[in-house]
Amino acid sequence: MSGTAAPRALWVRPAAFGSVVVLVAAVIALGRHRLTLAGLEAHAAALGDVVAHHRVAAFALYFILYVVATAVSLPGAVVLTLAAGALFGVVAGSLLVSFAASIGASLAFLSARFLLRDAALAWFPGLFARIERGIARDGALYLISLRLVPAVPFVAINLLAGLTSLPLRRFYGASQIGMLPATVIFVNAGASLATLGPHQAILTPRLIAGLLLLAALPVAAPLLRNALAARQRYAGWRRPRRFDRNLVVIGAGSAGLVTAYVASALKASVTLIEQAAMGGDCLNTGCVPSKALLHAARSGMDYHEARSAVRAAIAAIAPHDSVARYQALGVDVRRGHATIETPWSVSVDGETLTTRAIVIATGAAPLLPDLPGLADCPFATSETLWDIETLPARLVVLGGGPIGCEMAQAFARLGSTVTLVELADRLLGREDDEVSAAMAAALRRDGIAVLTGHRAVAVHRDDAGFSLEARHGDAPVRLGFDRILVALGRVPRTAGFGLEALGIALTPAKTIETDAWLQTILPNVFACGDVAGPYQFTHVAGFQAGFAALNGLFAPLWRFRPDYRAVPAVTYTSPEIARVGLNQRAARAAGIAFETTRYAFSELDRAIAEGDTDGFVTVLTKPGSDRILGATIVGTQAGEMLTGFTIAMQHKLGLKKLLGVIYPYPTRSEAIRAVAGMWRQRHASARGLAMLARFHAWRRG
């Protein structure tokens, strides 16, 4: 068996490919002068005579020609469709084109799958993984909607679909249904053109009606797809005739609070449900306490003073997120566990509320690794860190991301002996190498042992206390500790409130799968914030929340799409690390060409005056243009300075515009003008400068 299979595999595909090439050449040779409107018009009388005397044979031959032309992706399908209407009339022509086009498309589909699929999957694995997820989510409905839009190339759909795992049966059915409206419109246009005399106006009422229908298809297609998809997904649930609420929001963290605020400001009836503390992670265990602790550590407080400062900061901000405030805004706040029972009902500890729309804003929780011995040792996460009453003498921080770096520095400055363990070969894996190196150097200056390239293996306990076993290559390392902080990232909270029963899908990153408008597969159920991704920032959660509220209240009448072109991120260590848009690492990974302009704070007057010259500003621009692709700042007040670049990117302002702004002197924000000036000087025209020199010389006489 194996002795015959291998030789066959060597010649089957080349033979098939050769057959396709020969067939394409034959069809082009036969039809090169006829697959144009002018060619068909020149032979209209002769063709009409053939059809009149040999209608069945002409129909069959034209059917075969259409199938072959479609199968080999020959240009001219629109002309052939118009001709079918002119030669055979609306009914017969529509039947001919509908079935011939679907059969030909299926042959093209099979050719792409047989000849190109393996290579395409090898070249573009990420692209086809996303396409496969779309097909799994919408199936034939997605293909039908593409077929309904004439602007989407017919040939491209055939070939691209063939490269996926979509079954041929579903492809054929979707093609037959999706192409029918446009087919009838084009065939009708052809039939209308055939009835015109030499001096008649081309735009007859019948033809105008067809063209208007054709123009309406791109608008109608997604609406039809969404309606059909919604009907299918809502099957099994009964929609209430009346609703208790316009919106129910699950989760009162940053995303949920903003969603409820916007909805109440727009006079909607909204319920906000929170099981734990109002304000979510940001107020109680994340942004607020961590920044308060960092400030306390920089200020020279001891640990007990720092804990008091943290509690004071939370208490001062808590009224902004309190039940009383939101009730005063008109929000119905419920404290309890929420369960989504149907797409239009949510229960809160036994009471069921009906609602037109639901927004899921349940946030994320710390990721705990499957590390032997961890559960039996005194470990902490970003949520439980604040319960530590006494300063640990020896702290091991597991994870070199933003949280790990921030807390390692804070506890080192408060007096702990800190060891930071990171699996990767550098800290802050999303940053450029230069930024990671600056972070490692800053932590080491604070006395922190930075161990990159170390893999945690297990936690042990013996007479000497607790220790972390790690490996650096093949070499074992033992690190004693009194407390270990797990800072390996966060995972979305998606379990325990009914998503599984609703069939709402998750992405590979375990976030709730949403579209560009934050809709889940159920059009009236939305998600925003950390639970939806793709960013885990408080400011992005609040940004998304406004769109989730608007879409929940007004879709499908109006929909609003968030724009992520300028998402800022800040690590609040000393020095701060701030970034917006692309850095060099991300640009190279995406294959985006860029130019780099770098300005060091050692050249900035304010930094020199304060004796704080560490750091730099790096700006990426499109080659030959001042268009900003991204900016990174390392240094004191980097997060505050980043706003200038964020505004510029959001509103498409280039470095030339930033150069023309008046900056107060002396400030760190002058670095923005300085880096813009460096770019401008580098891109000055040598010829233009030479002409200026001659002009000034002429004026001097």
Side-chain angles (χ1 to χ4, degrees):
M1 213 55 168
S2 60
T4 59
R8 183 176 184 272
L10 294 174
W11 65 264
V12 167
R13 289 196 178 186
F17 185 77
S19 300
V20 171
V21 171
V22 171
L23 192 56
V24 170
V27 172
I28 292 175
L30 291 172
R32 60 183 297 186
H33 299 300
R34 295 185 176 89
L35 293 185
T36 64
L37 201 56
L40 286 168
E41 186 179 0
H43 298 83
L47 290 171
D49 187 61
V50 170
V51 172
H53 291 86
H54 308 283
R55 187 170 180 83
V56 175
F59 189 95
L61 287 172
Y62 203 93
F63 186 92
I64 293 171
L65 173 64
Y66 205 112
V67 169
V68 173
T70 306
V72 299
S73 304
L74 189 69
V78 172
V79 176
L80 285 174
T81 306
L82 291 169
L87 295 173
F88 302 104
V90 176
V91 176
S94 296
L95 288 172
L96 183 154
V97 173
S98 178
F99 285 95
S102 297
I103 293 171
S106 297
L107 292 174
F109 170 93
L110 290 174
S111 298
R113 175 162 294 178
F114 184 64
L115 298 172
L116 304 175
R117 186 167 191 261
D118 292 344
L121 289 176
W123 291 338
F124 308 106
L127 170 64
F128 286 101
R130 291 193 295 273
I131 294 173
E132 295 285 8
R133 287 198 298 271
I135 290 174
R137 173 174 168 169
D138 291 325
L141 291 176
Y142 181 71
L143 183 59
I144 289 173
S145 68
L146 290 178
R147 290 295 197 199
L148 286 170
V149 181
V152 180
F154 173 83
V155 172
I157 297 174
N158 299 339
L159 298 179
L160 190 60
L163 301 176
T164 71
S165 60
L166 184 70
L168 175 62
R169 172 178 51 83
R170 293 176 69 187
F171 173 81
Y172 178 85
S175 298
Q176 192 79 60
I177 296 170
M179 290 190 292
L180 185 59
T183 294
V184 173
I185 292 171
F186 278 110
V187 169
N188 173 70
S192 178
L193 289 171
T195 62
L196 297 177
H199 302 294
Q200 287 182 277
I202 294 178
L203 293 178
T204 63
R206 177 178 168 183
L207 187 56
I208 291 173
L211 293 174
L212 289 175
L213 287 173
L214 191 65
L217 279 180
V219 177
L223 296 178
L224 177 61
R225 180 194 66 190
N226 293 340
L228 292 173
R231 183 184 181 94
Q232 179 181 352
R233 291 166 186 156
Y234 286 129
W237 288 296
R238 178 174 295 179
R239 187 176 187 270
R241 292 185 177 181
R242 296 179 59 85
F243 300 95
D244 302 322
R245 302 288 186 270
N246 296 101
L247 199 64
V248 168
V249 183
I250 302 174
S254 299
L257 290 170
V258 173
T259 302
Y261 180 92
V262 171
S264 66
L266 295 173
K267 304 305 177 184
S269 175
V270 54
T271 291
L272 175 64
I273 304 170
E274 174 56 61
Q275 182 176 5
M278 293 287 289
D281 297 326
C282 181
L283 172 62
N284 299 287
T285 62
C287 312
V288 171
S290 64
K291 299 328 166 257
L293 187 70
L294 284 163
H295 177 72
R298 284 194 293 267
S299 302
M301 297 183 187
D302 64 27
Y303 185 65
H304 294 290
E305 292 172 327
R307 290 193 75 214
S308 298
V310 168
R311 290 193 295 268
I314 295 172
I317 296 174
H320 303 170
D321 301 342
S322 66
V323 173
R325 184 191 179 212
Y326 275 78
Q327 286 177 337
L329 292 170
V331 177
D332 172 38
V333 181
R334 304 293 182 96
R335 306 301 298 276
H337 179 75
T339 302
I340 305 174
E341 297 178 335
T342 76
W344 302 282
S345 63
V346 179
S347 70
V348 190
D349 293 338
E351 181 183 357
T352 297
L353 300 172
T354 59
T355 177
R356 286 191 62 89
I358 299 169
V359 174
I360 302 167
T362 49
L367 170 65
L368 290 177
D370 185 15
L371 185 64
L374 179 65
D376 300 321
C377 82
F379 77 90
T381 68
S382 58
E383 288 188 347
T384 61
L385 175 66
W386 317 106
D387 300 328
I388 300 176
E389 294 184 358
T390 58
L391 180 71
R394 299 172 302 166
L395 176 68
V396 167
V397 177
L398 198 58
I403 296 175
C405 290
E406 288 179 1
M407 293 301 95
Q409 189 173 66
F411 274 86
R413 292 185 172 188
L414 289 168
S416 292
T417 300
V418 179
T419 303
L420 190 152
V421 179
E422 168 57 43
L423 176 62
D425 60 359
R426 61 195 191 87
L427 304 177
L428 302 176
R430 294 184 179 179
E431 305 297 340
D432 288 334
D433 292 345
E434 182 182 25
V435 177
S436 298
M439 183 76 268
L443 295 182
R444 290 188 174 110
R445 284 197 298 270
D446 283 322
I448 299 168
V450 179
L451 304 182
T452 56
H454 283 65
R455 178 172 59 88
V457 175
V459 173
H460 300 285
R461 183 176 186 179
D462 53 28
D463 294 340
F466 293 96
S467 64
L468 173 69
E469 178 188 353
R471 288 195 174 275
H472 182 53
D474 295 328
V477 179
R478 279 291 184 108
L479 304 169
F481 66 84
D482 300 300
R483 183 80 65 164
I484 186 169
L485 171 62
V486 179
L488 297 175
R490 298 172 63 80
V491 292
R493 292 190 181 98
T494 58
F497 50 91
L499 290 186
E500 300 83 1
L502 292 178
I504 293 177
L506 302 182
T507 69
K510 305 303 180 185
T511 56
I512 293 176
E513 186 174 348
T514 61
D515 62 13
W517 293 269
L518 304 172
Q519 278 181 314
T520 67
I521 60 169
L522 297 173
N524 74 310
V525 179
F526 300 80
C528 61
D530 288 3
V531 77
Y535 306 97
Q536 289 190 342
F537 303 133
T538 295
H539 45 280
V540 174
F543 175 71
Q544 288 181 332
F547 292 91
L550 292 172
N551 291 333
L553 295 176
F554 297 112
L557 302 176
W558 295 282
R559 295 199 304 172
F560 306 88
R561 181 174 180 168
D563 179 359
Y564 302 110
R565 85 174 57 136
V567 175
V570 182
T571 301
Y572 294 91
T573 48
S574 297
E576 288 185 354
I577 294 171
R579 170 173 45 84
V580 63
L582 297 174
N583 58 14
Q584 297 180 51
R585 174 173 292 270
R588 290 191 184 102
I592 297 174
F594 62 89
E595 291 183 4
T596 303
T597 305
R598 186 183 188 278
Y599 176 78
F601 283 125
S602 58
E603 302 294 324
L604 185 68
D605 290 0
R606 174 65 179 270
I608 294 170
E610 293 178 341
D612 183 7
T613 58
D614 288 341
F616 54 86
V617 179
T618 300
V619 179
L620 271 60
T621 50
K622 183 179 178 181
S625 166
D626 72 333
R627 177 188 161 202
I628 302 170
L629 300 176
T632 299
I633 307 175
V634 176
T636 300
Q637 298 179 10
E640 306 297 332
M641 293 172 57
L642 188 70
T643 301
F645 291 112
T646 303
I647 293 172
M649 290 187 65
Q650 186 70 37
H651 296 284
K652 300 181 180 179
L653 305 176
L655 287 178
K656 294 176 186 176
K657 295 291 186 181
L658 294 182
L659 184 59
V661 173
I662 299 175
Y663 299 87
Y665 178 88
T667 60
R668 288 188 171 265
S669 62
E670 283 188 293
I672 298 174
R673 181 181 61 191
V675 76
M678 292 177 67
W679 178 91
R680 189 70 185 90
Q681 186 174 13
R682 192 169 70 236
H683 289 81
S685 168
R687 183 178 179 183
L689 292 175
M691 291 177 65
L692 280 175
R694 288 196 293 271
F695 169 76
H696 292 308
W698 170 76
R699 295 202 71 188
R700 291 196 302 270

